[in-house]
Amino acid sequence: MAMKNNLLGASLVEKDKNGDVLWAWTYPSIDEGMRELLLQKCCLSPASSSVDKDQAQEIIPFSFGHFGRTWYYIMTVDAESSDTLAQVTYVSLIIQAKDFNPEKYQLLSKILTSTYLSTGNAAMMLQLYLSVVTQGSCEGRGGESFAVKNFDARQAYVATSIKDVVRQFGIESIYLYTALLLKKRVAVYHPNLTALQSFLRALPTLVWHRQNWNILYPHVHLAEAELDDLTTTSSYVAGFTDSSAESHANLYDIFVNVAGGTVDVAPHAKEGFGMGKIHKDIATLMVKCTEDEDMSDQAMIKEIALKTKELINNLKSLAVGDEELGRPVVTLDKLRERKLTPAMENFLFHLASAEGLVRL
């Protein structure tokens, strides 16, 4: 059976000994807007004083991001030891794809950049790329091989530790859980891009029943095109390396400062984060899981998922038939019959909305 091909394109950016940055090659093509965005993401381009003010220009070996419906993966390598690229100091390979799988594209990038450094010929690299497109695999000049079939999306989902996240934020991790469960907007800040992305990609495991990593935008600049793209969706988890993102409260419902270890709810969103017994129980469960040294991250994810399933099933039991829609829905009237606290009533109704259990 042929493996699904999620590749969309590849590009090379080079920095020469004069410090000039050149967009050297693209296959099959790229529009000007995407090219400008990827140049900004590429660590070879001069840092702009208007974005990422806290982060001095540095070489980042591998990073990834999400714009529109495209995932991009950037590997940057030192080219000074290359015999075939005499005037080039660094090369960045950018792969565009439909799916989230950093480990898959990191290995493919490693093979492609190694081939380019040893041959200086983009056509040789393209042969390997096309082999992946047509056959689902390729083999590099050094014997290292790549096969799409070796990379399960679920492996990418659990590649970083949710236990580490909860250990850091403790009982306040319930804000992260609630924000993701209710499909809120989450902004995450860390001055180091690699640390930011490691933290960010663990968060969707808190709502494992959805298995949706497309809510992640792991590297966002405070630039008009990116903010416009971000705000086309009603819920997301966006990563920033610029601390001034915190001042843009219109972009988020909660702001997570990973470096500072704080979680702040935006004033306009406080009503949606009222806490009750359910929240306390789930927060206690998460913290207990981190205290169990023998419990794996996968086991912790399962524990949280079971608790979430129980919560959603209890909510579904309150649904009433809707003849027009032809399916049961949860109504505010039904919730009010339960004589819940205002905070719990609000939470459950918004959860029902997030799970598609209300009449829109």
Side-chain angles (χ1 to χ4, degrees), residues 11-178:
S11 302
L12 286 171
V13 179
E14 297 177 350
K15 188 171 189 175
D16 65 22
K17 291 185 176 179
N18 296 320
D20 295 324
V21 176
L22 172 69
W23 190 279
W25 174 85
T26 291
Y27 176 85
S29 63
I30 189 168
D31 66 53
E32 187 62 28
M34 193 65 173
R35 176 175 159 167
E36 288 302 313
L37 178 134
L38 293 174
L39 272 174
Q40 188 175 42
K41 302 302 178 185
C42 175
C43 60
L44 301 184
S45 297
S48 168
S49 60
S50 63
V51 293
D52 283 280
K53 291 182 263 186
D54 301 337
Q55 187 174 13
Q57 194 69 11
E58 62 174 317
I59 297 302
I60 301 170
F62 184 73
S63 65
F64 53 91
H66 185 199
F67 182 82
R69 296 183 178 181
T70 300
W71 284 94
Y72 57 85
Y73 303 88
I74 305 174
M75 176 168 281
T76 301
V77 294
D78 189 330
E80 298 214 42
S81 60
S82 171
D83 296 329
T84 58
L85 299 169
Q87 298 303 311
V88 178
T89 56
Y90 287 97
V91 171
S92 286
L93 172 70
I94 304 170
I95 290 179
Q96 293 174 256
K98 300 174 186 176
D99 60 325
F100 171 82
N101 201 317
E103 286 68 36
K104 176 169 73 171
Y105 294 110
Q106 186 170 22
L107 177 56
L108 179 58
S109 297
K110 181 180 177 183
I111 292 172
L112 296 184
T113 54
S114 177
T115 298
Y116 184 60
L117 290 179
S118 62
T119 65
N121 187 346
M124 297 292 290
M125 186 180 68
L126 179 58
Q127 287 181 11
L128 299 179
Y129 177 92
L130 292 176
S131 177
V132 176
V133 171
T134 58
Q135 301 176 39
S137 64
C138 70
E139 186 168 331
R141 294 169 65 84
E144 191 165 23
S145 62
F146 170 87
V148 172
K149 67 180 182 181
N150 293 335
F151 294 90
D152 187 318
R154 289 168 297 182
Q155 292 176 329
Y157 296 164
V158 297
T160 58
S161 175
I162 192 62
K163 286 187 81 172
D164 288 347
V165 170
V166 177
R167 279 195 190 102
Q168 179 176 1
F169 287 94
I171 209 76
E172 288 203 328
S173 300
I174 192 60
Y175 288 108
L176 301 174
Y177 173 84
T178 303

Side-chain angles (χ1 to χ4, degrees), residues 130-289:
L130 292 176
S131 177
V132 176
V133 171
T134 58
Q135 301 176 39
S137 64
C138 70
E139 186 168 331
R141 294 169 65 84
E144 191 165 23
S145 62
F146 170 87
V148 172
K149 67 180 182 181
N150 293 335
F151 294 90
D152 187 318
R154 289 168 297 182
Q155 292 176 329
Y157 296 164
V158 297
T160 58
S161 175
I162 192 62
K163 286 187 81 172
D164 288 347
V165 170
V166 177
R167 279 195 190 102
Q168 179 176 1
F169 287 94
I171 209 76
E172 288 203 328
S173 300
I174 192 60
Y175 288 108
L176 301 174
Y177 173 84
T178 303
L180 270 73
L181 189 64
L182 300 186
K183 295 186 176 180
K184 299 293 188 179
R185 300 170 304 156
V186 181
V188 182
Y189 163 73
H190 196 295
N192 180 279
L193 180 59
T194 302
L196 171 68
Q197 297 190 331
S198 178
F199 179 92
L200 209 75
R201 63 184 292 190
L203 295 182
T205 61
L206 292 171
V207 283
W208 183 255
H209 66 293
R210 294 185 188 138
Q211 293 195 29
N212 181 12
W213 265 250
N214 285 326
I215 63 172
L216 298 184
Y217 292 80
H219 185 198
V220 181
H221 287 88
L222 294 170
E224 184 177 357
E226 292 187 65
L227 298 184
D228 287 346
D229 178 63
L230 191 64
T231 53
T232 60
T233 181
S234 59
S235 65
Y236 49 76
V237 181
F240 300 87
T241 56
D242 182 349
S243 62
S244 68
E246 187 172 8
S247 65
H248 294 258
N250 60 310
L251 294 178
Y252 60 84
D253 298 309
I254 68 167
F255 187 87
V256 184
N257 184 331
V258 182
T262 59
V263 181
D264 294 306
V265 179
H268 67 262
K270 287 189 182 296
E271 184 180 352
F273 286 86
M275 297 292 158
K277 183 179 183 302
I278 289 174
H279 300 89
K280 181 180 178 181
D281 290 346
I282 294 173
T284 301
L285 171 69
M286 290 195 291
V287 172
K288 278 188 175 181
C289 287

Side-chain angles (χ1 to χ4, degrees), residues 306-320:
L306 287 171
K307 195 71 174 176
T308 302
K309 183 179 180 180
E310 178 187 337
L311 172 60
I312 293 172
N313 284 342
N314 287 339
L315 184 60
K316 286 179 177 178
S317 72
L318 301 178
V320 294

